[in-house]
Amino acid sequence: MTIELTDRIEMAESDELTLDDLFEMLERMPVPEGYKVEIVEGTVYMSPQGKCHWDLITDVYEQLRAGYARKRLTSDVRFDFPGHLNGFCPDLAALKAGAKADAKGKCDPRDIEFVLEVISKSTAPNDYGPKKAVYAEAEVPVYLVADRYTRRCHVYTHPKGGEYQSELTVAFGEPVDLTGTVVALTLTTEDFGLD
């Protein structure tokens, strides 16, 4: 990736860039096809989105459609979360009924009921670390991490005081019971991680 001289000057002249500033600069840069860009605690991350990754997202999306209207589900859409420069684009997010975008077209992260992150090797530390903490701080009721490398799902629920109070680990192939949460359904995982 090449950063233009004008971008470097803008970065150097500004004491405090906003998420909007950073994403505007990123939009002017040549991001490779098939990569997702996020900002986690002020650091820009680009991760590839391969077919297996997308298939897993699609599998969960199709199952969530049993309880969510299409317009309540988003994939790779930017949300500005609490904390220092956290512009996340969850692999999949389910919104509360009646959630609406603001005048700039952004949804409020407090309207998120469910987040799915599918692990990529390069960004796994973010999904298990700062992103999990930020999702808990934003009180996202259900955070599901699908780890293709360990072949396990980690379900985090009951956010309180910036931490999830409950964690459930389920091996791929076993059902993920979310009936006791706002999602109110059971996800099947037989096809997770299959190429």
Side-chain angles (χ1 to χ4, degrees), residues 60 114-117 142-146 153-156 176 187:
V60 175
F114 168 89
V115 164
L116 166 71
E117 294 288 6
V142 181
Y143 174 39
L144 172 64
V145 175
C153 289
H154 301 274
V155 182
Y156 302 96
V176 178
L187 298 175

Side-chain angles (χ1 to χ4, degrees), residues 99-159:
K100 299 227 185 284
D102 66 15
K104 292 182 179 181
K106 294 182 196 167
C107 291
D108 190 324
R110 292 174 293 193
D111 287 335
I112 298 175
E113 291 185 339
F114 168 89
V115 164
L116 166 71
E117 294 288 6
V118 179
I119 294 295
S120 296
K121 284 184 181 179
S122 61
T123 59
N126 287 339
D127 294 330
Y128 286 117
K131 287 175 81 174
K132 181 177 116 182
V134 170
Y135 289 145
E137 185 67 34
E139 297 188 351
V140 173
V142 181
Y143 174 39
L144 172 64
V145 175
D147 193 326
R148 296 181 299 126
Y149 304 99
T150 64
R151 300 194 48 77
R152 287 181 168 67
C153 289
H154 301 274
V155 182
Y156 302 96
T157 57
H158 303 96

